Amino acid sequence: MMKINLSELLKRAQWGKISDAELSEVVRMISLERGADLYTLIQILGRAGSPKYRKIVEPFLNNVGDAQLSALAVKVLCWSWGLSQEYKGDLVRFLNGVDWDVDGYVKLQTIGTVGEYLRENSDVELLELIYGIFLNEEERPLIRSAAYFALCRSEKLEWKDIPSASRLVNFSTEIDMQVIERVERKLGRRLH
């Protein structure tokens, strides 16, 4: 068993500068579900690994007792490794909400991931779900704000052209109606 410094390895993983032996040790530690920080191990794998490791990350899409690990699995599989189409069923499930994601970590990550996916791909079902979350006034403001950002990203707006994601959107003054109208046209909706 190799001794590894996870924080140092995470930094190097971002630049693809970890050895095959180190990556193998990360995979081994994740599969044994051991290690001081399973979250960091999955982050390392997400940055330095490839879709060939998807079977290692997939189990975390289910209720593993930590919704943050499930959210990270969505990020790694669908955003980092570009497998959104392959995991569309999971994305739909998470956008609809799962009872074990009580704080909304998985839903929030999924909304952002789908927004980025829709920048380059057309998927009416996913767009409809994001739009529905945006419209749902009973949804938490943080989740609705994330849905608005995802709609903007799906319409190819750059982050600099969207209200800061570090705060909630003011739904009465900060909504770009041109974005909403373009989304509604794509969905075949009647405009306001």
Side-chain angles (χ1 to χ4, degrees), residues 72-90:
L72 181 58
V74 169
K75 181 178 182 180
V76 167
L77 291 165
C78 300
W79 194 331
S80 301
W81 293 347
L83 301 174
S84 292
Q85 187 58 46
E86 289 87 335
Y87 291 98
K88 182 179 173 182
D90 292 298

Side-chain angles (χ1 to χ4, degrees), residues 115 118-119 122-135 147-157 175-192:
L118 291 172
R119 282 178 72 79
S122 177
D123 189 307
V124 174
E125 180 183 14
L126 292 174
L127 184 61
E128 180 78 47
L129 287 167
I130 296 290
Y131 181 71
I133 293 167
F134 164 73
L135 289 180
Y148 174 68
F149 298 140
L151 292 174
C152 290
R153 295 295 288 166
S154 78
E155 288 300 308
K156 303 199 182 339
L157 267 69
I175 301 301
D176 183 339
M177 289 311 295
Q178 291 179 346
V179 169
I180 302 307
E181 288 169 3
R182 289 194 307 263
V183 167
E184 288 175 342
R185 272 194 290 280
K186 285 181 180 177
L187 296 173
R189 297 273 172 94
R190 205 184 280 180
L191 302 176
H192 302 285

Side-chain angles (χ1 to χ4, degrees), residues 45-47 49-51 57 61 70-88 91 105-121 146 149-150 153-154 159 165:
L45 185 61
R47 290 180 181 178
S50 73
V57 179
L61 290 174
S70 299
L72 181 58
V74 169
K75 181 178 182 180
V76 167
L77 291 165
C78 300
W79 194 331
S80 301
W81 293 347
L83 301 174
S84 292
Q85 187 58 46
E86 289 87 335
Y87 291 98
K88 182 179 173 182
L91 296 175
Y105 292 117
V106 181
K107 189 171 193 173
L108 198 57
Q109 179 63 58
T110 302
I111 290 168
T113 298
V114 168
E116 293 303 313
Y117 174 75
L118 291 172
R119 282 178 72 79
E120 303 300 325
N121 302 277
F149 298 140
R153 295 295 288 166
S154 78
W159 284 111

Side-chain angles (χ1 to χ4, degrees):
M1 183 175 2
M2 171 185 260
K3 174 81 171 134
I4 57 177
N5 177 329
L6 293 181
S7 60
E8 185 266 328
L9 196 57
L10 180 60
K11 288 176 191 168
R12 288 193 291 121
Q14 183 168 353
W15 307 108
K17 298 187 185 261
I18 69 172
S19 70
D20 290 341
E22 290 169 321
L23 191 56
S24 293
E25 180 62 11
V26 167
V27 168
R28 187 188 72 75
M29 291 172 74
I30 293 171
S31 13
L32 295 174
E33 292 193 32
R34 290 198 190 130
D37 192 346
L38 197 51
Y39 190 90
T40 302
L41 290 167
I42 295 171
Q43 280 184 303
I44 293 167
L45 185 61
R47 290 180 181 178
S50 73
K52 74 179 183 179
Y53 294 109
R54 67 194 286 176
K55 296 295 181 196
I56 299 295
V57 179
E58 272 179 0
F60 296 98
L61 290 174
N62 299 306
N63 184 2
V64 293
D66 184 342
Q68 290 182 357
L69 285 175
S70 299
L72 181 58
V74 169
K75 181 178 182 180
V76 167
L77 291 165
C78 300
W79 194 331
S80 301
W81 293 347
L83 301 174
S84 292
Q85 187 58 46
E86 289 87 335
Y87 291 98
K88 182 179 173 182
D90 292 298
L91 296 175
V92 167
R93 179 170 58 108
F94 296 143
L95 289 173
N96 285 320
V98 290
D99 61 354
W100 50 266
D101 184 28
V102 294
D103 293 320
Y105 292 117
V106 181
K107 189 171 193 173
L108 198 57
Q109 179 63 58
T110 302
I111 290 168
T113 298
V114 168
E116 293 303 313
Y117 174 75
L118 291 172
R119 282 178 72 79
E120 303 300 325
N121 302 277
S122 177
D123 189 307
V124 174
E125 180 183 14
L126 292 174
L127 184 61
E128 180 78 47
L129 287 167
I130 296 290
Y131 181 71
I133 293 167
F134 164 73
L135 289 180
N136 183 355
E137 293 182 4
E138 293 180 16
E139 190 67 75
R140 290 178 24 215
L142 177 66
I143 299 293
R144 284 188 69 211
S145 293
Y148 174 68
F149 298 140
L151 292 174
C152 290
R153 295 295 288 166
S154 78
E155 288 300 308
K156 303 199 182 339
L157 267 69
E158 297 301 327
W159 284 111
K160 66 180 179 54
D161 301 322
I162 302 172
S164 173
S166 65
R167 62 177 178 70
L168 300 177
V169 172
N170 181 327
F171 291 97
S172 58
T173 63
E174 293 183 308
I175 301 301
D176 183 339
M177 289 311 295
Q178 291 179 346
V179 169
I180 302 307
E181 288 169 3
R182 289 194 307 263
V183 167
E184 288 175 342
R185 272 194 290 280
K186 285 181 180 177
L187 296 173
R189 297 273 172 94
R190 205 184 280 180
L191 302 176
H192 302 285

